[in-house]
Amino acid sequence: MNILLTPAHIGSVLIPNRIVMPPMTTRTADEEGNVTDDTMAYYLARARGGVGLITIEMAAPEKVGRHRRHEIGIYDDRFLPGLTRLVDALHRAGSKVSIQLGHAGGHTRKDICGETPIAPSPVPHPVYETTFETIVPEQMSKARIDQTIAAHSAAAMRALKAGFDCVEVHAAHGYLISQFHAPFENRRTDQYGGSLENRARFGLEVLRAVKSAVHGMPVIYRLSVEDFFVGGLPFSEGREIAIWAAEAGADALHVTAGHYRSRPSAQIVLPPMRFPDATFVHFAAAVKKSIRVPVIAVGRLGDPATATAAVAAGEMDFVALGRTLVADPQWVEKLARAEPIRRCLACNTCINEMRGGARIGCVVNGAAGRETMFANPTPPRGERIAVVGAGPAGLTYASLVAEGNLVTVFERDSRPGGAFRYAGKAPLFQEVEASEPSFARYIADLTAVCTDKGVTFRFKTDVARMPGVLSPFDRIVIATGARYRFGLGMVATTLLDWGAGRWPGLSRLFSRPEFRDWFYYKARKGTAEHFTRLAKPGQIVVALGDAVQAGKSKQAIASAFEAALLQR
């Protein structure tokens, strides 16, 4: 058996496998912070997919600590009914459940939390929540520190009452406890500032208070061990705090890195596609050598082989998969069945759009954040289906309808991927630096999924010139993408093949928002009309994504989910 599928303990709780879903804000709660049906559906999809331990997103232990609108609440007893309902449902689905107690500290605003933000010191904080604003928080007095520690204890007791198996204390990524750790943000001269021992004191007091409050329920400490900026916490100190946290009673260390002040970019908190797989594993492995409690590692561990090798080598005990499980809730089930997964691109669209006010979503998973919409799917059955175009929308559609139908994908090129293969050649994809291997791996695994499900591929077949090949089919799905106007297609692809997207001058041009808007959208037009007329009477015709109107890949793939699973 794959070691990732074997059970392991965190404290007294036996986790059914080594896969942990870390906390990621979804914005599925209502305005007050109550669990909704959408919250239930989102987390249930991951529990039903086999995740061993699901960590519900960051929930503030007191109202002043709320960092986002539509954030799950745990700072008042009124949230207990919804939390209890959520935990019960996830337990029935087979997962153990934790919740993260996370206090924003100075990384929030009065219009979000309703109070003047608090922090170790009154250092200006840049806060992006739908809009950008710099705030100056109020310095916490000793009495206010005690009040916040007590709020963590009370929130942990609510978690215990709601039936959670574990609770996680958030000491990472520039939120309150992490702010105490960083000298740049902690200018105090009392027992909570100055030396490392003093800067670590607040977080360790929170940890001890939570441990005392929950009567044996395991407590996980999520710690950024490296902040990646001058004045932040360096790894030499982060490792020391990890050791102290284990000695203070943490039942597991969730080792991460990064801070919203990180350089060159805060994106490193969720390492985007230009970063290597297993970005932070060396930090987790170093911490594990120094402590006796389990270590959870995070950061680009979605490749099954990479994650398996790291755990087998003893570099960590558990693997935390955040964006990976947004992209493929069935990752664990597929690992058990040795099936290809739906690869996360590490494009950070999920988190970047959420920060801008949107509900969590995903470029490659059109159901993410919309699970209730797909609760009762109605895919076609018993049909012969022709999919014209082997880009991401066409491959996605084919993979979703392959069971119960005879599906053939026609592609005029000699390989799958379509224009998506060129996305990695541009300087940016969405808002992160693009990387060709990320797209190639995604296309390869999506093609493998189709092949495993019996999809037939016919490459080097131009149906526009051979319309007769479509005659035997009941349904024709047009996923031919968009075409450049003015004959620019060959010029654009040739330039990208030459690597022009990374030439200094052209890279700046390709990265400008107005040029990207023109290049990807206004300079292209849909191709569906050209192919629709090839259909014969009685054949069902469906057009997807860019074939209808040039747009973003996220919308194209979402249209494939809707067309495949929501027949009307």
Side-chain angles (χ1 to χ4, degrees):
M1 180 180 290
N2 185 303
I3 193 170
L4 297 181
L5 302 176
T6 61
H9 278 90
I10 293 179
S12 59
V13 174
L14 183 64
I15 312 299
N17 57 54
R18 306 300 183 98
I19 307 303
V20 174
M21 180 178 176
M24 288 181 69
T25 300
T26 63
R27 293 195 196 271
T28 58
D30 68 14
E31 290 184 9
E32 288 295 310
N34 293 294
V35 168
T36 66
D37 290 344
D38 288 336
T39 311
M40 298 280 293
Y42 177 82
Y43 286 106
L44 269 172
R46 280 81 197 161
R48 289 168 177 160
V51 177
L53 176 64
I54 289 180
T55 312
I56 304 305
E57 62 206 71
M58 178 173 167
E62 55 182 346
K63 190 175 180 181
V64 72
R66 284 172 58 89
H67 83 308
R68 303 217 179 271
R69 299 181 180 92
H70 294 275
E71 175 185 289
I72 289 284
I74 198 171
Y75 60 84
D76 191 274
D77 286 350
R78 70 177 182 272
F79 299 116
L80 277 173
L83 293 171
T84 303
R85 183 166 66 101
L86 176 59
V87 172
D88 288 347
L90 298 180
H91 279 162
R92 288 193 297 271
S95 292
K96 300 297 183 181
V97 195
S98 181
I99 189 167
Q100 184 184 73
L101 305 183
H103 196 300
H107 202 54
T108 186
R109 302 193 307 245
K110 190 172 184 178
D111 62 307
I112 300 167
C113 67
E115 302 176 28
T116 300
I118 57 175
S121 301
V123 176
H125 285 250
V127 179
Y128 182 69
E129 162 66 355
T130 309
T131 58
F132 181 84
E133 183 180 335
T134 296
I135 65 102
V136 178
E138 180 180 287
Q139 178 166 313
M140 298 170 73
S141 66
K142 177 60 169 72
R144 192 65 184 81
I145 286 174
D146 292 342
Q147 182 181 336
T148 297
I149 292 171
H152 278 83
S153 295
M157 286 188 282
R158 289 187 194 98
L160 180 65
K161 190 173 181 179
F164 284 95
D165 301 286
C166 309
V167 67
E168 179 173 279
V169 174
H170 194 0
H173 304 320
Y175 295 103
L176 183 59
I177 295 176
S178 175
Q179 289 160 24
F180 272 88
H181 291 164
F184 181 85
E185 296 184 312
N186 184 348
R187 315 285 178 86
R188 304 175 73 95
T189 57
D190 64 1
Q191 69 267 42
Y192 292 96
S195 69
L196 178 62
E197 183 179 9
N198 283 356
R199 286 181 279 121
R201 188 184 309 278
F202 171 69
L204 297 178
E205 286 182 351
V206 168
L207 172 61
R208 293 187 185 100
V210 168
K211 281 286 294 183
S212 177
V214 295
H215 309 296
M217 182 171 77
V219 178
I220 301 165
Y221 204 65
R222 180 176 169 101
L223 176 67
S224 280
V225 294
E226 167 64 68
D227 283 345
F228 299 116
F229 74 98
V230 176
L233 185 75
F235 178 60
S236 58
E237 293 186 342
R239 178 168 52 186
E240 192 68 25
I241 294 175
I243 295 169
W244 292 342
E247 292 171 349
D251 295 282
L253 264 293
H254 190 166
V255 177
T256 184
H259 187 288
Y260 68 86
R261 297 187 193 269
S262 291
R263 295 290 181 264
S265 168
Q267 293 276 4
I268 197 172
V269 169
L270 293 117
M273 61 178 71
R274 292 294 291 180
F275 286 80
D277 282 356
T279 310
F280 301 143
V281 161
H282 62 295
F283 293 136
V287 168
K288 183 168 171 54
K289 290 178 182 178
S290 305
I291 63 175
R292 294 181 178 274
V293 299
V295 168
I296 304 167
V298 70
R300 298 218 63 193
L301 285 165
D303 178 67
T306 299
T308 300
V311 174
E315 294 177 303
M316 80 280 283
D317 302 281
F318 293 87
V319 175
L321 304 178
R323 294 165 295 174
T324 294
L325 290 172
V326 179
D328 194 343
Q330 296 178 307
W331 193 95
V332 180
E333 279 191 345
K334 290 178 179 178
L335 175 69
R337 297 194 298 256
E339 294 178 5
I341 60 171
R342 183 187 300 122
R343 293 276 183 171
C344 167
L345 295 173
C347 64
N348 284 1
T349 300
C350 52
I351 197 73
N352 288 339
E353 289 187 347
M354 184 279 295
R355 286 173 176 151
R359 177 176 292 191
I360 197 164
C362 180
V363 167
V364 301
N365 179 9
R370 305 193 299 165
E371 285 78 11
T372 52
M373 179 185 295
F374 297 93
N376 297 296
T378 54
R381 286 286 184 261
E383 293 187 10
R384 294 165 296 176
I385 302 175
V387 178
V388 184
L395 292 174
T396 296
Y397 182 94
S399 71
L400 294 172
V401 302
E403 295 176 8
N405 300 287
L406 295 174
V407 182
T408 301
V409 176
F410 295 92
E411 171 56 53
R412 68 178 182 177
D413 204 343
S414 60
R415 55 181 177 165
F420 210 51
R421 295 199 309 270
Y422 288 92
K425 298 175 184 286
L428 295 176
F429 179 77
Q430 306 291 60
E431 303 304 321
V432 304
E433 188 178 354
S435 171
E436 287 187 68
S438 184
F439 296 92
R441 189 159 64 173
Y442 164 73
I443 290 295
D445 270 16
L446 187 53
T447 304
V449 170
C450 291
T451 301
D452 285 0
K453 291 184 175 182
V455 173
T456 299
F457 284 93
R458 293 186 59 177
F459 295 108
K460 297 184 179 180
T461 304
D462 188 345
V463 300
R465 296 184 178 183
M466 305 168 59
V469 298
L470 300 178
S471 297
F473 294 94
D474 305 303
R475 184 182 298 261
I476 300 172
V477 178
I478 302 168
T480 47
R483 179 177 298 165
Y484 276 95
R485 305 174 191 270
F486 323 118
L488 290 174
M490 186 63 70
V491 176
T493 55
T494 299
L495 283 172
L496 289 171
D497 279 333
W498 286 351
R502 303 194 188 281
W503 296 350
L506 283 179
S507 176
R508 287 192 292 271
L509 175 64
F510 272 81
S511 299
R512 291 176 60 181
E514 58 271 25
F515 179 82
R516 294 174 70 195
D517 180 64
W518 176 83
F519 186 76
Y520 292 115
Y521 312 123
K522 293 177 182 176
R524 301 163 71 222
K525 63 179 180 179
T527 55
E529 185 177 349
H530 178 69
F531 290 92
T532 300
R533 58 175 177 258
L534 301 179
K536 294 183 177 180
Q539 289 181 314
I540 301 169
V541 179
V542 179
L544 305 178
D546 282 10
V548 180
Q549 182 178 359
K552 291 188 175 182
S553 49
K554 180 184 177 184
Q555 284 70 38
I557 294 172
S559 74
F561 269 78
E562 292 161 16
L565 302 177
L566 301 178
Q567 286 192 98
R568 291 173 176 83

